[in-house]
C-alpha cells in the first residue's frame, strides 16, 4: 500500500487520509493509494460512510505539476473521481487549506463537502495552460451553472469557504474542529439513511438551459480574441455539460486536456510556475541567519519611495518615510493617502484597514529618526552623488546590523557600498513602478553583501508579496539589460525601414500588452534621454547609435505626459501615430544613407526576441543571472513578457536554439558586437541541450 494514503476506521466511517507533503499534490503514489483503498471500501459492506481528508497544511493543492507534459501512469485522476462518486455510501470531503485543481475536483466528486472557514478552493489549471481534467468542467457547472463555473475555470481564482457555501459548492463551512464536524456529518447521514449524492446527477446548475447557453455564448464572445489555446476548449467543455451525457462530457474534457497539456503554451506556463519558485532559491540562503525586520525606513517620498512605502505598509510593517523638506514629504504622504482612499472606494480594503495602515506611517524630515529601524530602503533620485550623500548619513544614524538597501535601476552598488563603513549591510532592491503593484523585485547582491542580508531580502520579498530575482552587479542588472537590447534591436529596425507602430503591433501580436515605443511614451522619453546623455562620454564611438529618440526629445516631446511622443495623445479615437516622428525617422535614415525596406511581423519579432535571449544568455555567462529561468522570471513579472510564452529564454528553447543562433549570425554583419551570439548557444547546440538544462532543479 502507498504510504501517501492511509485508511482508518472510526466506527462505521472509513477515513481516507492523503499525506504527501508539502501540498498533498496528487502524485502517482497518492492516486495509486486512493485507488487501492477505494477497492477495499467497495468490498467492505460494514462501511456506511467515507471521509476523504488530508494531513498537513492543505487538502490536495492539485495534480502534481511535475508529472505534466509526459505520459501519466494510471490510475488517472478522472477515473478515481468517477470511482469515488460511484461508491454506494455517502462520501464527505473534509477540506482545509487550499483545495485546488485536481484536489478540488476530488472534492467535487465526493457527495458532500464540508470545509474549514479559512479554506479556499478553485480550479487554477488555466494558469498552467490546461483545464480541469478530473471532471471539473462537468461537475462544477452542475452545481453552480455556466457563468459561475466559467468564472472559476477561466478566472482561475479560488473562492473562500464562506463564498463557496453561499454558492452551494460546499454544504457547510465550520469555524473549528473540522474533522469532528465531518465525522458528525457522516454519522448524521448514516442515521438518516442518506445515500450517496453523486454530483453527476445534480441538475441545480443546468435547470435553466436557455440561461446556461446564453452565459456560454457571452463568455465565448468575451474571450474570442484570447491567444490562449485552452480558453475555447474550456468553454466548449462547459457547454458540453448541458448538451452531452455525463460520460461524453468527461471524454471531451479528457481529449481537450491532453491536447493542451502537450502544447507549447502549457509547457511555457509550467516553466513559469517552477521558474518563479526556483528564483527564490539562491546560494546565500545556505547557512544564513535571517535578520529580524520589524520597522522599515524609506528615504525619498517620490513616486518610487511612496510606492515602496505602500508595499511595506500593506505587508504590515510600520514605515518611517523621510524626505528632505516638508513640502516633498507632504506630497509623498498625500500620494499614499490617496492610494488607500482609492482602495477603500474600490472595496479592496475597508475603512479600518485604511486607518491602520495610515497609523503605521510616520513621516519625517530628519534622518536621525531612522536610528531604530531594521532596514532602510533608499529611493531618492537616480544619481550617484545624491545616493552617496544619503548613504553617508544613513551610515551615521542607523543601528549596527541594520540593512541599507538602495532602490536603483542601474547604479553600481559596489561603488556605493564602498563609500560607507559597512558595505556588508548594503544590498540593492530594484522595485518596478508602481512599486506597490508590480510583482518583480530584483535583489542585487554586491561583492561584499553578507549572505544574511541577501537571505533576509528574499524572506522580506515574500512578505511584500513580490517575486524576487537575484541579480549580480551590472549596468541595468537583469531586467533593464535585456530591455536595453530589445530597444536597440527595435531602434535599428526603425532606421532600416520599420515604423514605431509596426514594431509595436508586431510585439503586441506576440503577446506583449503594449509595444516598446508605447512603453517609452508611457514612461517618459526624457528619462531614457537623460541616461543616454549621461552615457554619451563613455560610449564607444564605433558603436552604432540611433539618434531618433534624441531628435524627438529635442522637440520637447516626452511622450504621454506632454501629449506627444512616438504617438499623439488626447484625440477622441485614442493615440495616433505622430507623423512628425516619421519625418524625423526619414531624416535620420537619409543622414545615414539608408534605403528603407519593409519588415514582416515575423522578422520584427525574431529580431527583438533573439536580441533579448542573447542578452539573457550573456547575463548567465557573466554570472549576473544565476540561471536562464531567472531572466525569464524578471521579464514575466517586470516587463510584460507574455506568460504563455514563458520568457525570452523559454522562447529560444521552444523556437530552437540553432534557429535563434542562425538568426543572430545573419544580423551580425549589421552590428557585429551587438548581434554576436553568446557562446552558450554553440555550447548547448552541440550537446543537444537547451537553456532549461542550465536551470538546475
Ligand atoms: N505540483 C507539484 N508541486 C507543487 C504543486 C503542484 N501542484 N503545488 C505546489 N508545489 C510545490 C512547489 O513547487 C513548492 O516546491 P518547493 O518547495 O520544492 O519549491 C512547494 O510545493 C510549496 O509551494 P509554494 O507555492 O512555494 O507554497 P505556497 O504556500 O506559497 O503556496 C499553493 C501553496 C498550493 C497555494 C501553491 O503552491 C499553488 O498555487 N500551487 C499550484 C496549484 C495548482 O495550480 N494546482 C493545479 C494543478 S492541476
Amino acid at each position: 500500500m502507498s504510504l501517501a494514503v492511509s485508511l482508518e476506521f472510526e466506527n462505521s466511517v472509513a477515513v481516507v487520509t492523503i499525506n504527501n507533503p508539502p501540498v498533498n499534490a496528487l502524485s502517482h503514489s497518492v492516486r495509486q493509494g486512493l485507488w487501492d483503498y477505494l477497492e477495499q471500501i467497495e468490498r467492505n459492506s460494514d462501511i456506511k460512510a467515507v471521509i476523504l481528508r488530508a494531513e498537513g497544511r492543505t487538502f490536495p493543492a492539485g495534480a502534481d505539476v511535475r508529472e505534466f507534459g509526459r505520459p501519466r501512469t494510471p490510475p488517472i485522476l478522472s477515473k478515481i473521481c468517477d470511482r469515488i462518486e460511484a461508491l454506494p455510501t455517502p462520501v464527505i470531503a473534509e477540506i482545509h487549506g487550499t483545495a485546488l485543481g485536481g484536489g478540488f475536483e476530488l472534492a467535487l466528486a465526493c457527495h458532500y463537502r464540508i470545509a474549514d472557514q479559512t479554506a479556499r478552493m478553485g480550479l487554477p489549471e488555466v494558469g498552467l495552460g490546461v483545464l480541469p481534467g478530473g471532471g471539473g468542467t462537468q461537475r462544477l457547472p452542475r452545481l453552480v451553472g455556466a457563468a459561475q463555473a466559467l468564472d472559476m475555470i477561466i478566472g482561475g481564482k479560488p473562492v473562500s469557504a464562506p463564498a463557496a457555501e453561499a454558492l452551494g459548492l460546499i454544504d457547510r463551512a465550520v469555524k473549528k474542529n473540522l474533522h469532528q464536524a465531518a465525522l458528525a456529518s457522516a454519522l448524521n447521514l448514516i442515521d438518516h439513511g442518506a445515500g450517496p449524492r453523486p454530483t453527476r446527477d445534480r441538475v441545480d446548475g443546468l435547470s435553466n438551459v436557455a440561461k446556461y447557453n446564453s452565459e456560454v455564448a457571452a463568455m465565448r464572445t468575451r474571450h474570442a480574441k484570447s491567444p490562449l489555446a485552452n480558453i475555447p476548449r474550456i468553454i466548449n467543455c462547459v457547454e458540453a455539460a448541458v448538451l452531452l451525457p455525463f460520460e461524453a462530457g468527461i471524454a471531451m474534457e479528457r481529449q481537450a486536456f491532453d491536447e493542451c497539456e502537450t502544447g507549447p503554451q502549457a509547457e511555457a506556463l509550467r516553466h513559469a510556475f517552477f521558474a518563479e519558485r526556483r528564483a527564490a532559491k539562491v546560494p546565500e540562503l545556505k547557512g544564513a541567519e535571517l535578520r529580524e525586520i520589524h520597522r522599515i525606513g524609506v528615504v525619498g517620498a517620490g513616486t518610487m519611495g511612496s510606492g515602496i512605502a505602500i508595499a511595506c505598509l500593506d505587508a504590515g510593517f510600520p514605515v518611517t518615510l523621510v524626505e528632505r523638506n516638508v513640502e516633498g514629504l507632504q506630497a509623498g504622504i498625500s500620494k499614499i493617502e490617496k492610494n488607500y482612499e482609492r482602495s477603500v472606494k474600490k472595496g479592496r480594503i475597508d475603512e479600518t484597514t485604511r486607518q491602520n495602515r495610515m497609523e503605521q506611517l510616520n513621516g519625517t524630515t530628519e534622518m536621525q529618526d531612522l536610528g531604530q529601524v531594521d532596514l532602510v530602503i533608499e529611493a531618492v533620485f537616480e544619481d550617484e552623488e545624491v545616493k552617496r550623500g544619503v548613504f553617508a548619513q544613513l551610515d551615521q544614524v542607523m543601528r549596527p546590523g541594520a540593512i541599507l538597501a538602495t532602490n536603483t535601476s542601474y547604479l553600481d552598488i559596489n561603488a556605493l557600498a564602498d563609500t560607507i563603513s559597512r558595505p556588508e549591510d548594503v544590498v540593492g532592491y530594484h522595485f518596478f513602478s508602481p512599486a506597490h503593484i508590480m510583482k518583480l523585485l530584483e535583489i542585487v547582491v554586491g561583492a561584499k553583501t553578507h549572505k544574511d542580508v541577501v537571505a533576509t531580502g528574499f524572506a522580506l520579498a515574500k512578505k511584500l508579496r513580490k517575486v524576487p530575482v537575484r541579480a549580480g552587479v551590472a549596468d541595468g542588472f537583469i531586467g533593464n539589460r535585456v530591455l536595453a537590447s530589445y530597444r536597440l534591436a527595435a531602434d535599428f529596425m526603425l532606421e532600416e525601414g520599420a515604423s514605431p507602430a509596426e514594431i509595436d503591433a508586431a510585439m503586441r501580436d506576440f503577446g506583449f500588452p503594449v509595444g516598446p515605443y508605447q512603453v517609452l511614451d508611457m514612461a517618459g522619453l526624457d528619462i531614457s534621454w537623460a541616461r543616454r546623455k549621461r552615457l554619451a562620454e563613455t560610449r564607444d564611438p564605433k558603436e552604432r547609435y540611433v539618434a531618433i529618440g534624441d531628435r524627438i526629445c529635442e522637440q520637447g516631446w516626452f511622450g504621454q505626459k506632454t501629449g506627444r511622443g512616438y504617438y499623439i495623445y488626447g484625440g477622441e479615437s485614442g493615440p495616433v501615430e505622430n507623423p512628425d516622428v516619421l519625418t524625423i525617422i526619414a531624416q535620420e535614415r537619409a543622414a545615414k544613407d539608408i534605403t528603407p525596406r519593409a519588415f514582416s511581423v515575423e522578422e520584427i519579432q525574431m529580431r527583438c526576441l533573439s536580441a533579448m535571449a542573447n542578452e539573457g544568455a550573456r547575463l548567465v555567462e557573466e554570472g549576473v543571472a544565476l540561471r536562464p529561468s531567472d531572466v525569464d522570471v524578471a521579464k514575466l513579472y517586470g516587463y510584460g513578457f507574455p506568460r504563455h510564452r514563458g520568457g525570452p529564454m523559454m522562447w529560444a528553447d521552444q523556437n530552437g536554439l540553432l534557429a535563434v543562433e542562425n538568426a543572430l549570425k545573419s544580423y551580425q554583419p549589421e552590428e557585429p558586437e551587438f548581434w554576436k551570439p553568446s557562446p552558450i548557444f554553440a555550447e548547448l547546440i552541440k550537446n543537444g541541450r537547451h537553456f532549461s538544462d542550465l536551470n538546475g532543479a
Side-chain angles (χ1 to χ4, degrees):
M1 275 292 168
S2 152
L3 292 176
V5 185
S6 61
L7 172 64
E8 282 161 6
F9 294 94
E10 299 191 34
N11 300 318
S12 52
V13 181
V15 179
V16 179
T17 302
I18 297 170
N19 189 3
N20 183 27
V23 297
N24 286 314
L26 298 166
S27 322
H28 176 250
S29 58
V30 174
R31 297 197 306 276
Q32 190 62 54
L34 286 172
W35 191 254
D36 295 343
Y37 284 125
L38 284 170
E39 202 164 329
Q40 272 194 30
I41 292 168
E42 280 164 3
R43 284 199 308 248
N44 187 341
S45 56
D46 293 338
I47 295 173
K48 302 295 179 221
V50 180
I51 291 176
L52 179 62
R53 62 184 293 278
E55 209 52 68
R57 63 196 234 208
T58 181
F59 199 79
D64 188 337
V65 183
R66 286 164 305 195
E67 291 180 6
F68 279 18
R70 47 185 88 151
R72 198 93 73 252
T73 317
I76 58 168
L77 181 66
S78 149
K79 296 273 183 239
I80 296 170
C81 289
D82 290 349
R83 199 162 184 180
I84 290 175
E85 195 171 47
L87 282 178
T89 51
V91 186
I92 301 172
E94 179 190 311
I95 303 169
H96 75 293
T98 41
L100 300 177
F104 186 47
E105 292 180 286
L106 264 186
L108 288 173
C110 294
H111 306 140
Y112 299 88
R113 285 161 288 281
I114 181 165
D116 187 88
Q117 183 91 358
T118 59
R120 289 183 308 133
M121 55 209 83
L123 296 167
E125 290 90 340
V126 69
L128 290 166
V130 290
L131 54 142
T137 64
Q138 303 305 297
R139 291 193 178 92
L140 183 61
R142 281 174 160 76
L143 295 179
V144 296
Q148 184 63 37
L150 284 166
D151 251 12
M152 286 184 74
I153 304 175
I154 293 180
K157 285 215 173 69
V159 296
S160 67
E165 187 178 3
L167 287 168
L169 270 178
I170 59 172
D171 298 286
R172 202 149 58 95
V174 295
K175 285 212 172 81
K176 52 183 184 194
N177 298 337
L178 176 65
H179 184 58
Q180 293 313 316
L183 209 53
S185 289
L187 296 175
N188 191 34
L189 289 167
I190 297 170
D191 280 353
H192 285 83
R197 189 186 57 171
T199 309
R200 58 179 286 164
D201 297 337
R202 301 273 296 270
V203 288
D204 318 45
L206 310 182
S207 51
N208 187 340
V209 177
K211 180 165 172 276
Y212 194 103
N213 284 333
S214 80
E215 288 167 354
V216 168
M219 217 46 157
R220 199 166 266 142
T221 311
R222 167 128 62 106
H223 292 279
K225 292 202 178 123
S226 171
L228 301 175
N230 54 350
I231 302 288
R233 290 181 170 88
I234 289 172
I235 299 173
N236 292 346
C237 286
V238 170
E239 182 178 45
V242 80
L243 296 178
L244 304 183
F246 183 77
E247 283 80 9
I250 290 284
M252 183 165 164
E253 177 191 272
R254 172 109 312 264
Q255 189 185 344
F257 184 92
D258 290 345
E259 284 164 8
C260 291
E261 187 194 14
T262 46
Q265 292 185 350
E267 184 192 30
L269 287 161
R270 281 196 297 276
H271 164 76
F273 177 85
F274 286 116
E276 175 187 335
R277 283 157 180 82
R278 193 181 299 122
K281 292 175 185 153
V282 298
E284 286 84 0
L285 299 191
K286 204 164 167 218
E289 264 183 50
L290 293 185
R291 295 196 185 166
E292 295 210 0
I293 306 290
H294 299 293
R295 306 186 60 85
I296 297 178
V298 177
V299 180
T303 308
M304 282 317 283
S306 48
I308 293 169
I310 295 169
C312 297
L313 291 166
D314 285 350
F317 290 102
V319 172
T320 304
L321 182 65
V322 186
E323 204 18 290
R324 267 177 314 181
N325 53 47
V326 178
E327 298 77 50
L329 180 64
Q330 214 34 61
I333 292 177
S334 87
K335 263 189 223 129
I336 298 172
E337 265 168 353
K338 286 211 182 84
N339 164 74
Y340 283 130
E341 279 159 14
R342 255 195 323 272
S343 295
V344 172
K345 257 195 213 131
K346 294 204 163 161
R348 282 195 222 113
I349 56 168
D350 58 20
E351 177 52 27
T352 321
T353 312
R354 185 195 71 80
Q355 274 175 19
N356 290 344
R357 302 236 168 112
M358 285 311 294
E359 273 163 23
Q360 296 277 64
L361 176 67
N362 170 31
T364 175
T365 52
E366 300 297 328
M367 282 288 205
Q368 270 90 333
D369 292 342
L370 296 173
Q372 290 315 309
V373 303
D374 308 299
L375 157 75
V376 164
I377 305 170
E378 162 283 304
V380 300
F381 187 61
E382 183 84 339
D383 177 277
E384 221 166 286
E385 277 311 303
V386 179
K387 293 212 186 243
R388 272 185 201 192
V390 170
F391 262 59
Q393 291 183 60
L394 291 175
D395 198 13
Q396 295 286 318
V397 302
M398 286 175 70
R399 66 163 182 78
I403 297 175
L404 288 79
T406 171
N407 171 64
T408 171
S409 324
Y410 289 99
L411 298 181
D412 181 347
I413 299 208
N414 289 334
L416 187 62
D418 281 337
T419 61
I420 63 164
S421 68
R422 34 176 148 174
E424 67 282 1
D425 295 336
V426 175
V427 65
Y429 288 172
H430 182 201
F431 284 88
F432 291 74
S433 187
H436 58 298
I437 293 174
M438 293 294 285
K439 285 286 203 190
L440 179 62
L441 177 64
E442 281 183 315
I443 297 189
V444 188
V445 179
K448 294 184 184 154
T449 310
H450 196 284
K451 66 177 173 182
D452 294 355
V453 172
V454 179
T456 306
F458 277 83
L460 178 74
K462 188 148 192 175
K463 289 198 182 133
L464 298 183
R465 306 248 201 107
K466 300 287 174 207
V467 177
V469 172
R470 184 195 187 283
V473 177
D475 187 48
F477 314 122
I478 297 176
N480 280 345
R481 267 269 299 264
V482 176
L483 176 66
S485 287
Y486 174 25
R487 285 185 176 161
L488 212 48
D491 273 356
F492 291 161
M493 284 188 277
L494 277 195
E495 270 191 350
E496 300 289 336
S499 73
E502 278 168 355
I503 295 175
D504 283 344
M507 298 318 285
R508 285 197 307 271
D509 177 73
F510 178 77
F512 279 90
V514 282
Y517 296 104
Q518 291 173 287
V519 175
L520 278 164
D521 269 4
M522 272 187 242
L525 302 183
D526 49 332
I527 298 190
S528 37
W529 191 29
R531 189 173 142 71
R532 287 196 298 277
K533 284 196 268 192
R534 243 193 342 265
L535 295 177
E537 257 178 49
T538 51
R539 189 175 302 120
D540 180 353
K542 292 199 290 292
E543 216 174 81
R544 174 170 173 186
Y545 185 74
V546 180
I548 295 167
D550 299 353
R551 299 287 98 80
I552 298 173
C553 288
E554 283 157 14
Q555 310 297 314
W557 301 335
F558 297 154
Q560 280 189 14
K561 62 185 168 194
T562 59
R564 247 162 218 269
Y566 289 93
Y567 298 86
I568 298 176
Y569 300 87
E572 274 181 13
S573 47
V576 290
E577 248 184 312
N578 184 349
D580 297 327
V581 164
L582 299 181
T583 310
I584 290 175
I585 295 173
Q587 285 162 354
E588 288 298 305
R589 285 176 192 150
K592 288 193 176 174
D593 227 4
I594 296 171
T595 313
R597 69 171 178 94
F599 283 82
S600 67
V601 169
E602 292 71 31
E603 184 174 0
I604 293 172
Q605 293 175 349
M606 190 67 184
R607 281 176 174 259
C608 289
L609 293 160
S610 56
M612 281 191 235
N614 196 30
E615 199 60 50
R618 286 178 187 152
L619 287 163
V620 173
E621 193 186 311
E622 293 165 25
V624 175
L626 281 181
R627 34 176 110 84
S629 64
D630 282 5
V631 176
D632 287 341
V633 174
K635 298 321 281 182
L636 294 177
Y637 284 98
Y639 297 83
F641 199 100
R643 194 174 168 89
H644 64 279
R645 303 280 198 169
M649 312 315 280
M650 183 70 199
W651 167 84
D653 273 354
Q654 288 192 332
N655 210 69
L657 296 190
L658 186 59
V660 178
E661 192 195 38
N662 281 340
L664 289 166
K665 283 182 182 160
S666 73
Y667 311 141
Q668 228 185 329
E670 300 165 17
E671 182 61 14
E673 276 311 301
F674 178 75
W675 289 114
K676 186 171 165 191
S678 154
I680 295 188
F681 277 96
E683 192 57 33
L684 290 173
I685 290 165
K686 89 171 174 235
N687 294 307
R689 298 169 82 218
H690 299 91
F691 282 121
S692 61
D693 293 311
L694 304 180
N695 287 333

